[in-house]
Amino acid sequence: MTLVVDVRSQPISRYVPHFNKKSLCQEVERAAMRYLFLGDKLGGRPKDAPRLPNGRIDDEKIRQGAVFREGMKKLLDEARYQRACLVCSEEDPAACHRYHLIAEDLGILGIFVRHIRKDGTLETAAEIESRLRTVKHQLELW
C-alpha cells in the first residue's frame, strides 16, 4: 500500500478545492492508498514558529523542536512498512520545507528522496543542490 502524507500546515486551497484535506483524503482512499495528515507536526509554517531576526522562519529551531521530531518519528514508523509520498503545495522543492527540513533529515538517515515536479520529472537532492549553486553563482556574477 502507498501512504500519502500531507505535510501542509494549512491543508486547504481556494484555487484547487480538490486538494483540500477532506477531498484529498477521500480521493487517496478511493485509489486504495492511505492518507495521513502530519502538517501539524511537519508543516513549514507551524503556529508560533521561531523566527530569525529578518522575520523568516528559523528552520533549524523547528528541526530541533519536539513537535517536528515527533512528526519525523511518526513518518519513519509509517514508512517502514509502505512507500510514502509527501504532499505539499509548493511545486519547486528548492523553495519548500519538504526539501529544506524533511528531505534533509531523511537524507542524513540514508533515505533516498526524490521530488516529483509539475511536469512529472523526478529531482534528487543532489540535482536540487546543483541547481541552487548555479543560481547562486549566476547572482554573484550579476
Side-chain angles (χ1 to χ4, degrees):
M1 175 172 279
T2 298
L3 175 67
V4 175
V5 183
D6 191 342
V7 296
R8 298 174 294 166
S9 295
Q10 298 179 22
I12 57 171
S13 173
R14 52 180 190 241
Y15 301 109
V16 281
H18 53 280
F19 282 115
N20 289 337
K21 181 179 177 182
K22 183 178 179 183
S23 300
L24 181 60
C25 179
Q26 290 171 344
E27 288 302 315
V28 165
E29 290 175 354
R30 194 169 304 155
M33 295 183 282
R34 209 171 126 239
Y35 175 90
L36 175 64
F37 179 73
L38 287 178
D40 55 339
K41 294 176 178 44
L42 298 179
R45 299 191 185 279
K47 294 176 182 169
D48 303 321
R51 303 261 176 193
L52 296 168
N54 64 6
R56 295 186 66 176
I57 293 175
D58 188 338
D59 289 344
E60 195 53 42
K61 283 190 179 170
I62 291 173
R63 180 182 278 115
Q64 294 169 1
V67 172
F68 183 81
R69 303 283 6 128
E70 180 185 326
M72 288 299 290
K73 182 181 180 325
K74 177 72 172 170
L75 172 62
L76 292 169
D77 288 347
E78 292 286 340
R80 181 170 299 161
Y81 304 106
Q82 59 204 320
R83 180 171 291 203
C85 175
L86 277 60
V87 175
C88 192
S89 55
E90 181 63 53
E91 189 275 331
D92 184 356
C96 185
H97 78 289
R98 278 187 334 267
Y99 169 72
H100 293 284
L101 280 174
I102 302 168
E104 280 187 8
D105 266 22
L106 294 174
I108 289 167
L109 296 172
I111 298 170
F112 185 67
V113 177
R114 292 173 293 198
H115 300 268
I116 304 170
R117 299 300 305 269
K118 182 178 177 178
D119 64 1
T121 60
L122 300 178
E123 191 172 26
T124 65
E127 292 166 331
I128 296 166
E129 290 163 13
S130 174
R131 187 163 52 90
L132 288 173
R133 277 194 304 276
T134 300
V135 169
K136 182 180 177 187
H137 179 71
Q138 289 172 342
L139 289 173
E140 288 170 353
L141 294 175
W142 190 62

